[in-house]
Amino acid sequence: MSGNGKPVGVAVLGLGNVGSEVVRIIEDSADDLAARIGAPLVLRGIGVRRVAADRGVPIELLTDNIEELVSREDVDIVVELMGPVEPARKAILSALEHGKSVVTANKALLSISTGELAQAAETANVDLYFEAAVAGAIPVIRPLTQSLAGDTVQRVAGIVNGTTNYILSEMASTGADYAAALADASALGYAEADPTADVEGYDAAAKAAILASIAFHTRVTADDVYREGITHITPDDFESARALGCTIKLLAICERVKVDGGQQRVSARVYPALVPLSHPLAAVNGAFNAVVVEAEAAGRLMFYGQGAGGAPTASAVTGDLVMAARNRVLGSRGPRESKYAQLPVIPISLASTRYYVSMHVADEPGVLSSVAAEFAKREVSIAEVRQEGVVDQGGQRVGARVVVVTHRATDGALSETVAALEDLDVVQAVASVLRLEGTNP
Amino acid sequence: MSGNGKPVGVAVLGLGNVGSEVVRIIEDSADDLAARIGAPLVLRGIGVRRVAADRGVPIELLTDNIEELVSREDVDIVVELMGPVEPARKAILSALEHGKSVVTANKALLSISTGELAQAAETANVDLYFEAAVAGAIPVIRPLTQSLAGDTVQRVAGIVNGTTNYILSEMASTGADYAAALADASALGYAEADPTADVEGYDAAAKAAILASIAFHTRVTADDVYREGITHITPDDFESARALGCTIKLLAICERVKVDGGQQRVSARVYPALVPLSHPLAAVNGAFNAVVVEAEAAGRLMFYGQGAGGAPTASAVTGDLVMAARNRVLGSRGPRESKYAQLPVIPISLASTRYYVSMHVADEPGVLSSVAAEFAKREVSIAEVRQEGVVDQGGQRVGARVVVVTHRATDGALSETVAALEDLDVVQAVASVLRLEGTNP
């Protein structure tokens, strides 16, 4: 294949970290990309909010008229890197309606509008690629949609947010509390001025929705994903985790589950969880991401790499861009959305996993028995209990702490148990409830 | 997309571990596969050497007439799982000539005949997929050809042979010698009756050729790959490795290198190497595989999972089968061979890495200086030297051992140095020469 076919026109929307890198690669690697595509990629324009001479690209490429740019005759592919949900949604829909293929990294948009975007791509018979929307440079979307297309995915569990992984890694290694670790992450540029989307798990939930959708051939939106952030995690939690041979990670978990009667359902959830140190995800530290996929025939696979940053994300975006361009040149199309299974998503109360419950209790005989009875009543089986004295600064024993680790139980049963424990006279407070993932039941 | 389009006919060649699993998945997951493809997959026949009633499939599906099977009108896709090079090559070429898409896991064939097969697929305008040929269930081919299509791959380094990784892991953890670890692997079914292809590195070299071809858009054959096996590795080597904070792994390494004048070349090589325990590949044990890819924009990625076995390999094969079938239904085609770069492959003498050299020396003053001089003469810079006494069983000092770890040097300079060391009067023998990979220079 030679690189001298009819040029493929590209419009890039957004000129932030990722957009600038994509523009750089299109220019610096022009010969290689042309050879791989079979035709040169030509940058027709860059959509920005503010047209100015100091953006590092020829000013005549810049435009703030997105609508005009995405509908240009000589544009074949639109690369959307503007975020947030709007105006990106409008621009992508307009591009698709004008018959352009679209590459996007916009997880927030995809996690609420996949159906709408996929339908528009289908109607226009063009490509909609979004490898960069989950786990940055790490190929996850393509392996799930293509490599595992003949397999049955049972579970996807990943560390898909670099900010929270940096904060939790810091807390684990330095003993810092949440506020200090967040301040550290901000100082290093790993956390945004308003870190809410990351630390409250919204970003991970959007990615979980995308992963669950493709893994289970079912449309799952961010609203279907149960979500807890990491702001309540304390150094005490890390100490307890260590005592149990674990660390704490914010996980996005997508599971195929069977409910009574054998029907299949999907569970999608994001929360901080205890993870055994022997589990491969436990060793994923700092701003790195990793996704573990368990499939019936393939067994356990792991994908690891940089989940964010301008260059890594640009790598995934340009990969998609080259594939979309090749399809244009060859008159082909890439994989479509697969949503045939349409498995219902279960509420968190029906999801089951293991739990760690830490509580402050009265320092008197019989407490353990009362606590254990509440678990037993709701058929939550206890795997391990530890009771230890709590001492004040003078070394005087002032109370006791009980830590319970359960076998597998539903979240509903566990929540009821915790509510009942809080009502017990001998329990002063339930200090912490965390899930335990990545172990056998 | 509904699953009721015109059926896609499939012929499977070979009914071993992998073939049986592929047939099982086609039957057990028929509804899911049909929904994903947009049409049912129909198994038209299975090519075997011996047609018999005890093969676990309806006898009327079996045929020993491969030529007839691959040319049947109602066959759209041929899945080749027969091995070895012949008769697989003839069957695949015939299938392609008859306009069938082909899925194969035959790394030995691909590593010597990629060009011929790719050309035949191009002429017939059909797909040739081979995800299962490298690292079993682990998606590696697709990420390299598609996800990284916009990036510049610098290096691929992998543990891609489960048999040798099992043997080396055993030697590392139990202190066993090579023969004992091989016997153990054979007893567990991890090594074949004739283990030559695995332990001498032929299998890994075939995979290195495939990886180098796709990573660097260049046709690389198994003959271009420098190859050393693991049969000479001793418990002493593992002891020295441990002392250096390393373990020993059989690595397949594909590198983009710059030669004088800045021109790009490819280095492809397979050998046992010291790997620092902190490197992600050091933790890949037993029959598992892992591939680390370093690309300019993406940075370092790692893919991990089961590299062999019936079910994992069948997962990769059926993934390819579903993609080829979707392309049939949609009138599309998957990615073609990309060989535009045609970078020359350098001989091992020009490849550069770090080295570990262990030698028995005379136990007298001045030895270290004589040894060091030979390295210096050839501009091989020494990073670390250790000298220790060798004692006999009675505790009597009977000689000395010198271990040298070098900085980065060419294999040619190192070989000359080793030859010169062997000629030195004070050197009794060069006991072991191993490369050191995965560190900074």
Side-chain angles (χ1 to χ4, degrees):
Chain A
M1 183 155 62
S2 74
N4 48 18
K6 183 170 159 286
V8 177
V10 181
V12 173
L13 310 183
L15 198 56
N17 280 345
V18 182
S20 306
E21 272 297 314
V22 169
V23 168
R24 189 193 62 72
I25 293 174
I26 290 175
E27 284 166 2
D28 290 0
S29 302
D31 292 347
D32 278 311
L33 298 185
R36 296 174 194 177
I37 291 164
L41 270 190
V42 180
L43 190 58
R44 303 295 188 193
I46 303 171
V48 290
R49 234 174 303 172
R50 181 180 62 86
V51 174
D54 60 352
R55 306 297 300 267
V57 292
I59 193 165
E60 59 273 20
L61 278 176
L62 299 178
T63 173
D64 57 6
N65 191 337
I66 305 291
E67 182 55 31
E68 188 182 79
L69 177 59
V70 304
S71 59
R72 272 174 64 158
E73 280 272 328
D74 61 357
V75 165
D76 300 289
I77 304 172
V78 172
V79 178
E80 185 280 309
L81 302 165
M82 296 188 287
V85 169
E86 293 291 0
R89 179 179 157 277
K90 185 159 165 284
I92 290 177
L93 284 173
S94 176
L96 293 170
E97 277 156 22
H98 284 94
K100 318 303 183 193
S101 292
V102 169
V103 175
T104 177
N106 196 326
K107 57 244 172 190
L109 171 60
L110 287 163
S111 71
I112 58 172
S113 295
T114 328
E116 185 186 28
L117 303 183
Q119 188 54 55
E122 199 52 49
T123 304
N125 195 28
V126 295
D127 285 325
L128 173 65
Y129 281 122
F130 48 90
E131 181 66 72
V134 179
I138 312 170
V140 176
I141 305 294
R142 203 163 261 115
L144 278 171
T145 49
Q146 300 188 38
S147 308
L148 290 164
D151 209 331
T152 304
V153 176
Q154 299 292 355
R155 195 166 199 265
V156 181
I159 294 171
V160 293
N161 180 273
T163 306
T164 49
N165 201 45
Y166 179 85
I167 292 171
L168 293 174
S169 299
E170 274 292 288
M171 292 179 73
S173 67
T174 68
D177 67 10
Y178 168 76
L182 170 62
D184 196 18
S186 301
L188 286 166
Y190 289 142
E192 299 192 36
D194 175 359
T196 310
D198 294 316
V199 301
E200 294 295 356
Y202 289 101
D203 175 78
K207 292 164 178 170
I210 297 170
L211 289 171
S213 297
I214 58 176
F216 306 125
H217 304 270
T218 290
R219 276 187 193 157
V220 178
T221 67
D223 287 343
D224 298 322
V225 180
Y226 175 78
R227 179 193 51 73
E228 268 178 39
I230 65 161
T231 57
H232 61 286
I233 302 294
T234 65
D236 274 355
D237 290 327
F238 274 101
E239 199 181 306
S240 301
R242 259 190 301 277
L244 294 163
C246 292
T247 187
I248 300 173
K249 294 292 184 187
L250 182 70
L251 300 183
I253 298 172
C254 313
E255 261 175 356
R256 185 188 296 272
V257 292
K258 279 199 177 157
V259 289
D260 295 341
Q263 287 167 314
Q264 299 198 29
R265 297 285 184 271
V266 165
S267 167
R269 47 198 208 262
V270 167
Y271 44 60
L274 301 190
V275 178
L277 291 173
S278 60
H279 192 280
L281 289 177
V284 177
N285 287 316
F288 279 83
N289 279 194
V291 177
V292 171
V293 177
E294 289 167 28
E296 212 168 82
R300 185 195 270 180
L301 303 169
M302 184 161 101
F303 306 87
Y304 171 89
Q306 295 185 61
T313 308
S315 170
V317 168
T318 22
D320 280 352
L321 173 57
V322 168
M323 295 316 296
R326 286 182 75 142
N327 289 341
R328 288 267 156 177
V329 170
L330 300 170
S332 278
R333 252 194 78 192
R336 279 87 165 140
E337 182 194 27
S338 176
K339 59 172 199 325
Y340 71 90
Q342 288 301 56
L343 303 178
V345 180
I346 57 171
I348 186 68
S349 61
L350 296 181
S352 81
T353 185
R354 299 182 65 185
Y355 302 86
Y356 146 92
V357 181
S358 163
M359 58 205 110
H360 296 292
V361 298
D363 198 5
E364 58 185 53
V367 169
L368 211 55
S369 153
S370 309
V371 164
E374 296 304 324
F375 283 86
K377 270 186 223 168
R378 289 156 192 94
E379 298 189 344
V380 179
S381 168
I382 293 177
E384 194 178 334
V385 182
R386 290 188 307 118
Q387 184 168 16
E388 56 200 27
V390 175
V391 293
D392 68 11
Q393 291 182 332
Q396 183 80 24
R397 182 158 170 141
V398 293
R401 196 163 80 107
V402 169
V403 169
V404 173
V405 177
T406 76
H407 287 297
R408 189 169 280 275
T410 64
D411 228 274
L414 197 279
S415 296
E416 283 174 28
T417 307
V418 169
L421 289 169
E422 282 171 334
D423 282 346
L424 279 188
D425 285 345
V426 295
V427 173
Q428 288 148 8
V430 175
S432 188
V433 179
L434 286 171
R435 280 90 176 176
L436 168 59
E437 298 284 347
T439 68
N440 293 322
Chain B
M1 183 156 61
S2 74
N4 48 17
K6 184 169 159 286
V8 177
V10 181
V12 173
L13 310 184
L15 197 57
N17 281 346
V18 182
S20 305
E21 272 297 316
V22 169
V23 168
R24 190 193 62 71
I25 293 173
I26 291 175
E27 284 166 2
D28 290 2
S29 302
D31 291 348
D32 279 310
L33 299 184
R36 295 174 195 176
I37 291 164
L41 270 189
V42 180
L43 191 58
R44 302 295 189 194
I46 304 171
V48 291
R49 234 174 301 173
R50 180 181 63 86
V51 173
D54 61 350
R55 306 297 300 266
V57 293
I59 193 165
E60 60 274 17
L61 278 177
L62 299 178
T63 175
D64 57 7
N65 191 335
I66 305 290
E67 184 55 32
E68 189 182 78
L69 178 59
V70 304
S71 60
R72 270 174 66 158
E73 281 272 328
D74 60 356
V75 165
D76 301 289
I77 304 171
V78 171
V79 178
E80 187 277 310
L81 301 166
M82 296 188 289
V85 170
E86 292 292 0
R89 179 180 157 277
K90 185 159 166 284
I92 290 177
L93 284 173
S94 176
L96 293 170
E97 279 157 19
H98 283 94
K100 319 302 185 193
S101 291
V102 169
V103 175
T104 177
N106 196 328
K107 58 245 171 191
L109 171 61
L110 286 163
S111 70
I112 58 173
S113 294
T114 329
E116 185 185 28
L117 303 183
Q119 189 52 55
E122 199 52 49
T123 305
N125 195 29
V126 294
D127 285 326
L128 173 65
Y129 281 122
F130 49 90
E131 181 65 72
V134 180
I138 313 170
V140 175
I141 306 294
R142 203 163 263 114
L144 278 171
T145 49
Q146 300 188 36
S147 307
L148 291 163
D151 209 332
T152 304
V153 175
Q154 299 292 357
R155 194 166 199 265
V156 181
I159 294 172
V160 293
N161 180 273
T163 306
T164 48
N165 201 45
Y166 179 85
I167 293 171
L168 294 174
S169 299
E170 274 291 288
M171 292 178 73
S173 65
T174 69
D177 67 9
Y178 168 74
L182 171 62
D184 196 17
S186 302
L188 286 165
Y190 288 143
E192 298 190 39
D194 176 0
T196 310
D198 294 317
V199 300
E200 295 294 357
Y202 290 99
D203 175 79
K207 292 163 178 171
I210 297 170
L211 289 171
S213 297
I214 58 177
F216 305 125
H217 304 270
T218 289
R219 276 188 193 157
V220 178
T221 67
D223 287 343
D224 298 323
V225 181
Y226 176 79
R227 179 193 51 74
E228 267 179 39
I230 64 162
T231 57
H232 61 285
I233 302 295
T234 64
D236 275 356
D237 290 327
F238 273 100
E239 200 182 307
S240 300
R242 258 190 302 276
L244 294 164
C246 292
T247 188
I248 300 174
K249 294 292 185 189
L250 181 71
L251 299 184
I253 298 173
C254 311
E255 261 176 356
R256 184 189 295 274
V257 293
K258 279 198 177 158
V259 290
D260 294 342
Q263 286 167 314
Q264 298 197 29
R265 297 286 185 269
V266 165
S267 167
R269 46 198 209 262
V270 166
Y271 44 60
L274 302 189
V275 178
L277 292 173
S278 59
H279 191 280
L281 289 177
V284 177
N285 286 316
F288 279 82
N289 279 194
V291 176
V292 171
V293 177
E294 288 168 28
E296 211 168 83
R300 185 193 272 180
L301 302 170
M302 183 163 100
F303 306 86
Y304 171 89
Q306 294 185 61
T313 310
S315 170
V317 169
T318 22
D320 280 353
L321 174 57
V322 167
M323 294 317 294
R326 288 181 73 141
N327 289 342
R328 288 267 155 175
V329 170
L330 299 170
S332 278
R333 252 194 78 192
R336 278 91 164 137
E337 182 193 28
S338 176
K339 59 172 199 324
Y340 72 90
Q342 288 301 54
L343 302 177
V345 180
I346 57 171
I348 185 70
S349 60
L350 296 181
S352 81
T353 184
R354 300 182 64 187
Y355 303 86
Y356 146 91
V357 181
S358 163
M359 59 207 109
H360 296 292
V361 298
D363 198 4
E364 58 185 57
V367 169
L368 211 54
S369 150
S370 310
V371 164
E374 296 304 324
F375 283 87
K377 271 186 220 166
R378 292 157 189 92
E379 298 189 347
V380 179
S381 168
I382 292 177
E384 193 179 334
V385 182
R386 289 186 309 117
Q387 182 168 17
E388 57 199 27
V390 175
V391 294
D392 68 9
Q393 291 184 332
Q396 184 77 24
R397 182 158 171 142
V398 293
R401 197 161 79 107
V402 169
V403 170
V404 174
V405 177
T406 76
H407 287 298
R408 188 170 280 275
T410 64
D411 227 272
L414 196 279
S415 295
E416 283 174 28
T417 307
V418 169
L421 289 170
E422 282 171 334
D423 282 347
L424 279 188
D425 286 343
V426 295
V427 172
Q428 289 148 7
V430 175
S432 187
V433 180
L434 286 171
R435 280 89 177 176
L436 168 59
E437 298 283 347
T439 68
N440 292 322

